[in-house]
Each structure stands twice: as structure tokens, then as C-alpha cells.
Amino acid sequence: QVQLVESGGGLVQAGGSLRLSCAASGRTFSSYAMGWFRQAPGKEREFVAAISRSGIMTYYANSVKGRFTISRDNAKNTVYLQINSLKPEDTAIYSCAAGRGGSGSSYLRSRDEYDYWGQGTQVTVSS
């Protein structure tokens, strides 16, 4: 089992940047594909970004492509989400997730493919 704890959220002005972190417990972090999702008030949770076990393969939602960067450090059991050029519509609770499925070089894009979830960190962007 994996426990995930996010950090790094906060209140930021439009155009600003944040770096979210997700620390995972356990010794098998590198065996999980990782992803970030977000949920805005009154909306469903949506996919943001995903990364393969090795970190070589990444995938982004169109709405964040070019502004967000997902990365991971398997030695530190941590996955990151660098968020640049923030917009008010990026306001949401951001959660990381870990999935056991897929091949070693693949990423997971659907929330149903993920097995473990963190509690989330709030990102609020003011205009």
C-alpha cells in the first residue's frame, strides 16, 4: 500500500508559479505510475498530468500543456508538478495518485486506473 501526501499549494496571483510535491511512503514508489488530478468547486475531478515509472514518458491535459511540468525523483519517493503562468481557472484542489497498472514505460490517463490517492493541496489563483 502507498500513502501519498501533497504539499506546496497556496494563494498566488495570476501569472505566478507554484511547485507541488507529492511524497509517497513505502519502498516501491518506482513501481507505480503517477499522476496529478484537480477538482474545482462544483466540478468533477479532472486529469492534469501523468508520468511513467521511470519518468521518461509524460502526458498532459490540453488545458495545461506548455504551462505545467510533471517530474519524479524515485530516490526521494516524490513526484512534482511545476505550475507556471497560473490562471484563475487553475484554482482547484490538486491531488496526486499512484497506479500499479500499465506497462513499465506507460503512463495512466484515467482516474479509474489509479489505485491510491492523496488528500490534495489547495491552489487558489487570484486575478
Side-chain angles (χ1 to χ4, degrees):
Q1 191 169 357
V2 176
Q3 292 186 327
L4 304 171
V5 179
E6 302 93 337
S7 62
L11 174 63
V12 63
Q13 289 187 333
S17 298
L18 284 174
R19 189 193 195 201
L20 307 184
S21 298
C22 171
S25 66
R27 302 178 181 177
T28 59
F29 176 71
S30 61
S31 65
Y32 291 91
M34 300 297 295
W36 284 95
F37 290 75
R38 67 184 181 185
Q39 187 168 19
K43 295 187 177 181
E44 291 189 355
R45 180 179 287 177
E46 65 172 355
F47 168 81
V48 174
I51 191 166
S52 63
R53 290 163 176 78
S54 65
I56 293 176
M57 301 298 293
T58 59
Y59 184 80
Y60 298 92
N62 287 336
S63 58
V64 307
K65 199 174 295 183
R67 299 188 298 122
F68 289 18
T69 302
I70 188 171
S71 62
R72 67 189 294 165
D73 186 338
N74 287 343
K76 295 183 178 180
N77 284 10
T78 303
V79 62
Y80 305 97
L81 186 68
Q82 178 69 40
I83 308 175
N84 298 328
S85 303
L86 277 159
K87 305 175 182 180
E89 53 263 43
D90 293 320
T91 295
I93 296 174
Y94 284 72
S95 301
C96 66
R100 294 171 295 186
S103 65
S105 60
S106 65
Y107 43 73
L108 307 176
R109 289 180 283 179
S110 170
R111 60 187 178 184
D112 294 336
E113 297 180 285
Y114 287 89
D115 303 291
Y116 303 104
W117 293 83
Q119 292 298 311
T121 184
Q122 177 71 49
V123 172
T124 303
V125 184
S126 63
S127 57

